[in-house]
Amino acid sequence: MNKFTSVVLAAALSASALMASDMVKGDGSSFVLPINQAWAKAYYKATGHKVQYNGGGSGKGIKDAEARLVDFGGTDAPLTPKAQKKHNMLQFPAVVGATVMAYNLPGIKSEALKLTDKAIVAIAEGKVKYWDDPMLRAVNPNIKLPHKKITFARRSDASGTTWNFTYFLASVSPEWRHNYGVKKTINWTSNNIGGKGNPGVSSIIKQTPYSIGYIEYAYAIESHAKVAVVENREGYFVKPTMKTFQAAAAGADFDPKKGFYTVIGYPKGKDSYPLVACPFIIMPKEKVAADKKVTAFYAWAWDNGAKIAEKLYYVPLPKSVTDKIKGYWKANGVY
């Protein structure tokens, strides 16, 4: 190898190492995967800085962040202040989204099916086994519901979407809260099929006639899934729309003193969609250099990516909240 070749090779290896070290890596919530990847693409185009995010599920995001295997984790189940302290983590919300009840009922259009909150609990528990159950027929008098067995599509992995969905179920039903609780994984008693991530559950619903399941709204749009109109906390049936998501998110209490720990599922308000969720970002507190890259990415996304979020049916955080988060970052020396 001559001197010139050696210099070129060394320069190439050095550039490769620099690019690898410059890349920010995250893993976790598949709920927030579409928006994180869309923001990352736009961020790279605007700044030349790379962000890689894999949607392995909230459980994996938490584990990988706690093990310091990634620069940041995404989770739909926020860490309590106690857990943040124990694992030396910083935490902040990223965006607001919604979970929908997607169904595969041949011959029945999207948003034709109405579901009461109690019916959703009964389907998840396996107490409502057939589509023509009286509980479903009572609020769907104009639909001919078939005498077909319901297949419930659910997450097979440790999932923040499951955590938020079971938070909703536990809020509606004291019996559910006592028997199952609010968890990332559940021993389902219904006639069910499990899929990995929101994409896996979306695929099951699409391929399985007479199925129903819970998925993040962006996946429902992407897979052209039919979605139900759902009864909210005030007893009104509301469609999943940006307007009803925004109404639901309006009352969220984000407190930096608690590492922004809050759960916004099952909100009050007649116009509020009842199955909203807020994915959170967690970062190892001591990895200041990497944290600054993560915060630079999200600051750019909030300042420049609101329209990207809305196109994917997420609700951008209001400026009052992002200003709080930036103050929290500064107080912790990561911005």
Side-chain angles (χ1 to χ4, degrees):
M1 184 183 296
N2 60 40
K3 186 175 180 180
F4 176 76
T5 305
S6 298
V7 170
V8 171
L9 180 60
L13 289 172
S14 177
S16 177
L18 183 61
M19 286 179 67
S21 65
D22 188 55
M23 181 183 290
V24 176
K25 294 184 178 180
D27 194 9
S29 163
S30 64
F31 190 104
V32 78
L33 176 65
I35 185 58
N36 268 347
Q37 290 191 337
W39 275 342
K41 184 178 180 180
Y43 184 60
Y44 177 70
K45 185 176 181 180
T47 68
H49 297 300
K50 290 186 176 181
V51 176
Q52 177 183 300
Y53 183 80
N54 300 314
S58 294
K60 184 167 173 37
I62 292 171
K63 285 182 179 178
D64 286 355
E66 288 177 354
R68 277 49 180 172
L69 297 176
V70 292
D71 298 311
F72 68 99
T75 175
D76 307 328
L79 299 183
T80 64
K82 184 177 179 180
Q84 293 171 44
K85 185 176 181 180
K86 178 181 177 181
H87 297 287
N88 201 33
M89 288 287 176
L90 297 173
Q91 176 176 267
F92 58 91
V95 72
V96 172
T99 303
V100 295
M101 299 304 297
Y103 59 89
N104 183 338
L105 274 171
I108 296 177
K109 296 179 181 180
S110 183
E111 298 183 350
L113 179 70
K114 290 182 179 179
L115 293 174
T116 64
D117 51 5
K118 290 180 175 60
I120 295 171
V121 176
I123 290 170
E125 283 184 307
K127 291 182 177 179
V128 166
K129 300 180 185 296
Y130 291 89
W131 278 107
D132 60 350
D133 186 280
M135 184 178 277
L136 301 181
R137 285 192 287 111
V139 293
N140 292 285
N142 299 320
I143 298 176
K144 186 172 175 57
L145 292 168
H147 185 67
K148 294 288 186 178
K149 200 167 188 178
I150 295 172
T151 299
F152 184 66
R154 48 83 181 176
R155 291 285 288 272
S156 60
D157 51 330
S159 160
T161 306
T162 297
W163 191 92
N164 277 291
F165 181 61
T166 56
Y167 178 89
F168 165 79
L169 300 179
S171 299
V172 173
S173 167
E175 183 182 0
W176 177 279
R177 184 166 60 248
H178 178 265
N179 292 337
Y180 303 95
V182 179
K183 299 176 182 176
K184 297 186 201 68
T185 57
I186 291 286
N187 291 323
W188 301 98
T189 54
S190 54
N191 173 44
N192 66 84
I193 302 175
K196 186 175 181 181
N198 277 288
V201 179
S202 299
S203 180
I204 289 169
I205 295 167
K206 189 172 184 178
Q207 296 171 17
T208 311
Y210 309 107
S211 63
I212 187 169
Y214 58 98
I215 55 175
E216 198 274 324
Y217 189 48
Y219 292 93
I221 296 296
E222 183 181 343
S223 63
H224 304 288
K226 301 173 185 178
V227 296
V229 179
V230 179
E231 183 185 26
N232 69 12
R233 188 168 179 167
E234 312 298 335
Y236 294 91
F237 285 94
V238 293
K239 296 180 180 181
T241 66
M242 284 296 293
K243 184 178 179 180
T244 61
F245 301 164
Q246 288 166 344
D253 178 24
F254 293 114
D255 185 353
K257 293 179 181 178
K258 297 188 293 185
F260 297 96
Y261 177 80
T262 190
V263 182
I264 64 173
Y266 206 48
K268 295 179 181 179
K270 70 174 186 178
D271 298 320
S272 296
Y273 186 75
L275 281 158
V276 287
C278 181
F280 288 79
I281 303 304
I282 55 175
M283 310 182 300
K285 200 171 185 178
E286 79 283 358
K287 293 178 66 176
V288 175
D291 291 347
K292 286 183 176 179
K293 293 177 184 178
V294 176
T295 60
F297 167 59
Y298 280 101
W300 183 92
W302 295 331
D303 292 343
N304 300 277
K307 289 184 179 179
I308 297 173
E310 289 169 356
K311 283 181 180 178
L312 291 172
Y313 300 94
Y314 294 90
V315 178
L317 297 175
K319 188 174 184 299
S320 59
V321 174
T322 60
D323 284 346
K324 273 188 188 180
I325 297 170
K326 290 174 183 178
Y328 168 78
W329 291 342
K330 288 177 181 177
N332 285 280
V334 295
Y335 185 62

